[in-house]
Amino acid sequence: MATATPSSITGTRTGAHRALARVGTEEFHSMRLPAAQEAAVLYSANHVDAAIGLLRTEIKETAGKGNKQAWLMLFDLYQAASNRAAFDELSMLFTVKFEQSPPPWGESGDASADPRRAPDSRERKDLFVLKPNASGDLAGEIEKFRAFAELTGTVRLDVSKITRISAEEATLLGNALLLLRKRNLPMWFNNLVTLETLLRSNFNEKATEIERYFWLLLFELLILQGKNQEFEDMGLEYAIAFEMSPPNWETYVNSVAATQAKAAGAAKTAAAAASSHTAGPSREDHGFPLKGVISTASANQIAELNGYAANLQEVAIDTTKVLRIDFAFASAFFEVVKGIQLAGKRVIFSNLNELNAALLEAFGFNRYAILVRKKSI
């Protein structure tokens, strides 16, 4: 059996296993993970090569040769990495070993066509993580962010790495965001609460001119998030603190998000109309469809899942199109599922592939939900 922190796995991989030990009840604190679950954790943390190496070793060892789960997880990994040659080679070995047909290679469908299945590709090609460089300079990185956004045409800005910001840097970032907004460039944001808290920590009871630049950046962030009421409330505070009028509210429209929302609304209306005339399957028949990489960027999906579960006693979650459950988000996802179950509802995950099923088992999801694997062969 593989341990939770094998000597062959170091750095962030070891950190992943240690973090896993904090999930759930005390039974996880000294647990030994089976090879399949250990590989699932590695894949979840995006260490695909390490996961493949661990499973290849498992199926070669005497004790693991008959571990069909390890074989099936290897098929999933090769499919995720688009490695058809390795998939076909494993298929021949599987047929000889188990005297049955291997899982089929998936040539089509949303999941197989998604570029995020490739282990070296980023989940978003327009993601920019703003953080100080090696010299502690943030100003130069802000300029790189602006240039990057203009080059890609859309941008998702992650500000979670900013632990301090000067008035000058706040001004530069505010100006960059204002420029991109005026150019109608679609923008999304990760971890803005962290930056907003940092900015507010620079607000003093006795306002100073330097402090004003932190306020102005926060005003811009509120505009970009469409938080009109918070903007107005802060405007009153600003007027009292500085004895001058606050900035004017402006409406920012993310054209991409608006188009997607409009299309989703039209699709929902069409589906509702169709269901009223046909006896076709509904979401309730197949469950709530989670999609893509389930991560911190999946807030909208999680909110929709909670809304879907609100009035149901049995909550089915269809994972057919789930590519990966990101390790950094797995604990938060665990709490979501636990919360639904503790509200007196039965939670069922359906169509789990072997990788995602093993990960959920490693995190203890099976204590709060029924895990149903898809039929692989």
Side-chain angles (χ1 to χ4, degrees):
M1 300 283 280
T3 63
T5 53
S7 59
S8 60
I9 301 173
T10 59
T12 56
R13 299 169 195 166
T14 299
H17 289 286
R18 288 173 179 167
L20 178 62
R22 293 195 294 270
V23 177
T25 60
E26 293 298 322
E27 67 187 274
F28 286 86
H29 285 220
S30 301
M31 70 178 182
R32 295 168 60 87
L33 289 178
Q37 292 185 8
E38 188 173 343
V41 169
L42 287 170
Y43 173 68
S44 174
N46 216 17
H47 297 301
V48 179
D49 290 341
I52 290 174
L54 191 155
L55 290 173
R56 285 176 63 91
T57 299
E58 171 73 5
I59 67 173
K60 289 178 182 178
E61 293 180 348
T62 302
K65 283 183 179 180
N67 184 353
K68 188 180 289 187
Q69 183 184 21
W71 289 77
L72 296 176
M73 290 176 69
L74 260 181
F75 281 119
D76 283 343
L77 282 167
Y78 288 144
Q79 180 78 64
S82 299
N83 190 341
R84 180 63 184 271
F87 189 98
D88 289 344
E89 179 183 354
L90 186 67
S91 295
M92 291 187 289
L93 295 174
F94 182 90
T95 301
V96 172
K97 172 65 181 175
F98 296 100
E99 297 181 351
Q100 64 183 105
S101 299
W105 174 264
E107 292 287 2
S108 59
D110 295 341
S112 61
D114 194 305
R116 292 175 295 184
R117 292 184 75 90
D120 295 327
S121 67
R122 296 186 317 193
E123 291 181 18
R124 284 193 63 96
K125 293 181 179 177
D126 60 355
L127 175 67
F128 189 97
V129 180
L130 184 61
K131 58 184 178 181
N133 61 20
S135 303
D137 175 44
L138 188 61
E141 298 304 305
I142 292 171
E143 177 58 26
K144 289 180 182 178
F145 154 66
R146 183 196 60 76
F148 173 84
E150 291 179 338
L151 178 65
T152 57
T154 67
V155 69
R156 177 176 289 276
L157 178 64
D158 188 320
V159 295
S160 61
K161 303 298 183 182
I162 301 177
T163 57
R164 61 182 180 179
I165 187 169
S166 67
E168 179 185 3
E169 291 165 341
T171 301
L172 290 173
L173 181 55
N175 288 342
L177 293 171
L178 174 62
L179 175 65
L180 296 174
R181 175 166 65 83
K182 293 296 185 181
R183 293 181 178 177
N184 296 315
L185 191 139
M187 290 181 277
W188 294 264
F189 301 92
N190 288 353
N191 303 298
L192 275 186
V193 173
T194 303
L195 179 56
E196 290 175 359
T197 302
L198 178 61
L199 292 173
R200 290 184 184 276
S201 71
N202 287 286
F203 294 1
N204 298 308
E205 186 174 343
K206 186 176 181 179
T208 63
E209 179 61 22
I210 291 224
E211 180 187 324
R212 196 165 68 88
Y213 300 108
F214 299 114
W215 286 72
L216 294 177
L217 174 54
L218 187 52
F219 276 125
E220 181 62 28
L221 295 177
L222 294 176
I223 288 175
L224 289 168
Q225 297 174 84
K227 295 182 176 180
N228 178 264
Q229 187 57 56
E230 289 185 35
F231 185 97
E232 296 297 331
D233 293 343
M234 200 173 88
L236 291 175
E237 297 175 26
Y238 180 91
I240 294 171
F242 295 98
E243 297 182 350
M244 64 173 65
S245 298
N248 293 323
W249 170 261
E250 297 181 42
T251 300
Y252 167 68
V253 177
N254 182 319
S255 57
V256 173
T259 300
Q260 290 176 341
K262 184 177 180 180
K268 186 176 181 180
T269 300
S275 65
S276 67
H277 293 90
T278 68
S282 65
R283 173 180 276 189
E284 283 72 16
D285 295 320
H286 299 284
F288 182 87
L290 285 179
K291 299 178 182 178
V293 177
I294 308 305
S295 68
T296 54
S298 304
N300 289 343
Q301 283 199 79
I302 298 304
E304 290 176 5
L305 170 60
N306 282 323
Y308 169 75
N311 298 316
L312 297 175
Q313 289 303 306
E314 182 172 287
V315 182
I317 303 173
D318 186 355
T319 64
T320 303
K321 295 184 179 180
V322 172
L323 307 180
R324 179 167 62 86
I325 300 169
D326 188 68
F327 182 84
F329 187 66
S331 294
F333 189 37
F334 175 89
E335 294 300 327
V336 170
V337 173
K338 177 181 176 182
I340 294 174
Q341 193 273 342
L342 291 180
K345 305 170 187 294
R346 186 165 77 152
V347 184
I348 303 172
F349 283 89
S350 63
N351 295 312
L352 285 163
N353 66 20
E354 290 295 334
L355 286 166
N356 291 330
L359 179 79
L360 295 185
E361 288 170 344
F363 269 85
F365 278 70
N366 50 323
R367 288 178 292 144
Y368 296 99
I370 299 170
L371 309 182
V372 181
R373 289 167 164 82
K374 69 179 181 181
K375 187 176 181 180
S376 299
I377 48 178

